[in-house]
Amino acid sequence: MAQIEVKNLTFSYPETNGKVCLDNISISINKGDFILICGKSGCGKTTLLRQLKPCIAPRGKSEGQILYNRQDIRKLDEKDQATKIGYVMQNPEHQIVTDKVWHELAFGLENLGVKTNEIRARVSEIAEYFGITDWYFEKTDKLSGGQKQLLNLASVMVMDPEVLVLDEPTSQLDPIAAEQFLDVIKKLNEELGITIILSEHRTDSVFKRADQVILMYRGRILSAGKPEKVIKTDMDCDLEKIMPMSARIFKNFDESDVIPLSVSEARKQMKYLNKSFSILPDTKKDNIEDPAIICRNVWARYEKKEKDILKGLNISVNKGEIFAILGGNGTGKSTLLKVLRGSLRPIRGKVKAKGTIGMLPQDVQTLFRKETVKEELENVPENIIKSMELKGILERHPYDISGGEQQKVALARVLAADPDILLLDEPTKAIDNIYKETLGKMLRSLSDKGKTIIIVSHDLDFCGEYVDKCGLLATGDILCVNNYREFFSNNRFYTTTVSKITRDVIENAVKPEDLL
């Protein structure tokens, strides 16, 4: 018997004049399934997931049925909604409601009126299971992004749900934290039998873990089934970019029926692949020394009695250069951007910048002040709106569009000011590989025109393809500054992801057998 059945679901937002966001969706999910939902930004993934949690379902016109254990999901009482269906949001900041870790874990149970002794027992058990007892009494605002997202997951799981819905939960996590988080999700699925329904743009990490994949396109289901089946779906070149990189390489160059879903599978299969690879044209450049922004011996912290976050940091970025700042969650990358922008004054050291500065913050919703996307983009040139594919959402409220679309709206606003120096905090989070290519080409064009661009990112694939130099932020300073080729070759442990194998093959044109 199916645990969740979606039957002919059609949904439209009130401000879209009847244009449907979900078009005749039908899905059957069994208990204990691990479901991956993927697709281009704005295809309806988040809208579909929110329909599975009635208390946060968006306002609009809905037709069709959603059954939970053969009962209309909208008729579940509030207690059953809270306990049986857990939901983890894209942005960790938007789900935490208390000031201490232990209180966040207990908050849901307290609201259900659970007895104190039972709350203590269940909170202690879940803290042990997730390995978070060491920061049990920490303040939630002091946690890193990865810790906050793990806390959100633990706070949901303490309610003992049967189904766990996750909307791009790794979009703000570094590659290591993302892998660890997904391992925990798979563990919940395998050991506790929790049904997992997950949307994610990082398909490289999730395909190998999923039982079933649902590929969405313009509000419809284009393909559904085992990962191996969905990968072989006939799709255009844009949608292929959503698939795992290892699978895309082998689909294009290998004539066998077996398509690898992970790096380990790809490495094993390479010994049977005798194709030659051509080098992609290198559009990057080594800039002449002409610093646009310089930091010298910069120390910074937020409060007087807190620990220093930046400790004697030095960095110099040339005019027209695209520079990526990489590193784990909580290392101070966003803090550095605030110092460069001037919104956080260093306690020691100097920062010099030539020209105007524009910044895309990590939480782009802080930029939104208007009632519609059209009003937010009032001063944005038409060519930027068109290139970012924003015309179809102009009448929507900025908070009602997908995370990827919010990212594009915010970036359009920043670009409209035509700053000399662009500071971009996680510009590719929540967006698909299709738009990433558009964004990358746009940044290279701006770089060619003399714009200086500094990116903070966890997206190693994007940085490997579009930046000129990379620097690793650790222990409060920028380390290992190199051009992108040397950086990704020398920092093997930090960059051990699918991106490593694709760069080895495509950019350096090495023979597959040399990777074995």
Side-chain angles (χ1 to χ4, degrees):
M1 182 183 77
Q3 186 178 35
I4 295 177
E5 290 181 275
V6 180
K7 296 183 176 182
N8 307 115
L9 178 64
T10 297
F11 177 83
S12 59
Y13 287 93
E15 61 270 26
T16 57
N17 298 319
K19 182 181 178 181
V20 296
C21 180
L22 300 176
D23 189 358
N24 199 31
I25 299 289
S26 292
I27 305 171
S28 182
I29 299 172
N30 294 321
K31 181 175 175 59
D33 277 351
F34 191 120
I35 307 294
L36 167 64
I37 301 177
C38 57
K40 189 177 179 180
S41 295
C43 70
K45 300 187 300 294
T46 297
T47 302
L48 175 58
L49 292 184
R50 289 177 65 186
Q51 299 288 337
L52 303 179
K53 183 83 168 176
C55 59
I56 61 170
R59 181 174 60 91
K61 182 181 178 182
S62 181
E63 298 176 359
Q65 278 186 311
I66 302 178
L67 302 181
Y68 180 79
N69 293 330
R70 295 184 176 178
Q71 179 185 358
D72 188 333
I73 200 169
R74 299 177 184 89
K75 294 182 180 178
L76 288 177
D77 61 38
E78 292 184 359
K79 182 178 180 181
D80 282 343
Q81 284 190 38
T83 58
K84 292 185 177 181
I85 304 172
Y87 197 102
V88 177
M89 297 179 180
Q90 188 179 119
N91 191 329
E93 305 283 353
H94 294 170
Q95 197 157 350
I96 293 176
V97 294
T98 67
D99 62 339
K100 294 288 182 65
V101 170
W102 69 266
H103 196 188
E104 187 69 23
L105 292 170
F107 183 78
L109 297 175
E110 289 175 343
N111 279 273
L112 291 177
V114 177
K115 294 181 179 179
T116 302
N117 289 341
E118 185 179 348
I119 291 177
R120 287 177 177 174
R122 288 171 65 175
V123 166
S124 297
E125 180 185 21
I126 209 73
E128 288 287 348
Y129 185 88
F130 283 93
I132 60 177
T133 51
D134 289 345
W135 26 288
Y136 193 74
F137 295 104
E138 292 288 335
K139 291 183 177 180
T140 53
D141 62 354
K142 303 303 179 187
L143 302 179
S144 70
Q147 289 174 324
K148 287 178 180 178
Q149 197 65 305
L150 191 60
L151 174 59
N152 284 334
L153 179 59
S155 301
V156 169
M157 289 308 301
V158 79
M159 309 289 282
D160 196 23
E162 297 175 352
V163 176
L164 187 58
V165 181
L166 304 103
D167 185 9
E168 298 193 34
T170 71
S171 64
Q172 299 194 42
L173 305 186
D174 65 64
I176 297 171
E179 286 291 327
Q180 292 171 343
F181 186 86
L182 292 170
D183 282 341
V184 172
I185 297 299
K186 189 62 177 176
K187 183 180 177 183
L188 294 172
N189 175 246
E190 293 178 340
E191 295 185 0
L192 303 181
I194 307 295
T195 302
I196 305 295
I197 306 171
L198 168 75
S199 75
E200 186 59 69
H201 284 307
R202 284 178 171 177
T203 56
D204 296 286
S205 299
V206 187
F207 250 73
K208 61 187 177 184
R209 295 176 168 93
D211 300 316
Q212 303 284 330
V213 175
I214 296 171
L215 176 61
M216 295 186 65
Y217 181 69
R218 294 183 177 178
R220 296 183 177 183
I221 294 178
L222 181 64
S223 181
K226 296 288 185 183
E228 298 86 354
K229 174 195 170 186
V230 173
I231 280 178
K232 294 177 181 178
T233 301
D234 185 20
M235 62 184 82
D236 62 32
C237 58
D238 274 350
L239 277 180
E240 277 201 352
K241 294 170 186 173
I242 294 169
M243 299 296 105
M245 182 65 80
S246 57
R248 288 160 53 194
I249 290 176
F250 276 80
K251 187 176 180 181
N252 290 327
F253 293 104
D254 189 6
E255 297 174 357
S256 69
D257 291 331
V258 180
I259 300 177
L261 303 180
S262 66
V263 174
S264 60
E265 291 179 10
R267 286 182 181 275
K268 291 175 184 177
Q269 198 165 330
M270 275 182 170
K271 65 180 66 175
Y272 306 110
L273 182 60
N274 295 311
K275 298 282 185 179
S276 61
F277 295 81
S278 61
I279 301 177
L280 293 180
D282 194 344
T283 58
K284 303 171 194 178
K285 55 183 179 297
D286 292 322
N287 292 309
I288 300 172
E289 291 294 324
D290 181 16
I293 195 161
I294 301 174
C295 286
R296 289 287 181 263
N297 193 34
V298 168
W299 293 70
R301 64 170 82 109
Y302 287 99
E303 300 292 339
K304 185 175 181 180
K305 295 182 179 180
E306 290 183 353
K307 294 180 180 179
D308 292 315
I309 299 174
L310 303 181
K311 305 172 185 178
L313 182 141
N314 292 279
I315 185 176
S316 177
V317 182
N318 291 321
K319 181 180 179 181
E321 193 170 66
I322 304 180
F323 190 102
I325 300 169
L326 308 178
N329 288 102
T331 54
K333 301 185 300 298
S334 296
T335 301
L336 174 55
L337 288 193
K338 291 175 183 176
V339 169
L340 296 179
R341 185 190 186 190
S343 55
L344 177 65
R345 294 185 63 183
I347 58 174
R348 196 188 315 165
K350 292 183 178 180
V351 179
K352 294 183 179 179
K354 297 178 182 177
T356 57
I357 298 176
M359 180 167 171
L360 179 76
Q362 191 171 80
D363 185 0
V364 296
Q365 288 188 357
T366 59
L367 296 180
F368 300 149
R369 298 288 185 271
K370 307 295 185 179
E371 293 297 315
T372 66
V373 171
K374 184 177 182 179
E375 292 176 285
E376 292 286 355
L377 300 177
E378 187 176 2
N379 298 316
V380 177
E382 185 70 19
N383 65 312
I384 293 180
I385 295 174
K386 184 178 179 180
S387 66
M388 293 189 173
E389 299 181 354
L390 299 174
K391 282 186 172 293
I393 59 170
L394 293 178
E395 302 304 324
R396 302 268 299 277
H397 192 284
Y399 279 32
D400 286 340
I401 57 180
S402 73
E405 288 168 332
Q406 289 180 351
Q407 197 76 2
K408 291 194 282 186
V409 170
L411 182 57
R413 285 192 48 180
V414 174
L415 292 177
D418 194 29
D420 300 307
I421 300 170
L422 268 173
L423 308 179
L424 308 178
D425 197 347
E426 297 292 350
T428 66
K429 77 173 188 289
I431 64 174
D432 55 70
N433 289 337
I434 303 166
Y435 176 68
K436 283 181 189 179
E437 184 176 316
T438 301
L439 174 62
K441 290 178 179 177
M442 185 186 302
L443 295 183
R444 290 245 54 96
S445 175
L446 291 170
S447 170
D448 292 340
K449 294 175 182 177
K451 303 292 185 183
T452 305
I453 302 167
I454 301 176
I455 300 173
V456 159
S457 183
H458 295 312
D459 192 336
L460 303 184
D461 288 302
F462 183 82
C463 293
E465 190 166 356
Y466 294 105
V467 308
D468 299 308
K469 289 183 182 177
C470 299
L472 182 63
L473 180 55
T475 64
D477 195 7
I478 293 285
L479 311 174
C480 310
V481 176
N482 263 319
N483 68 55
Y484 74 104
R485 289 185 188 275
E486 292 176 359
F487 180 89
F488 284 102
S489 297
N490 296 337
N491 295 280
R492 294 185 63 187
F493 291 101
Y494 179 71
T495 61
T496 301
T497 63
V498 173
S499 57
K500 174 66 178 171
I501 192 172
T502 58
R503 272 189 292 278
D504 280 343
V505 173
I506 295 179
E507 293 189 349
N508 299 324
V510 300
K511 296 178 181 179
E513 55 267 25
D514 293 340
L515 294 175
L516 300 177

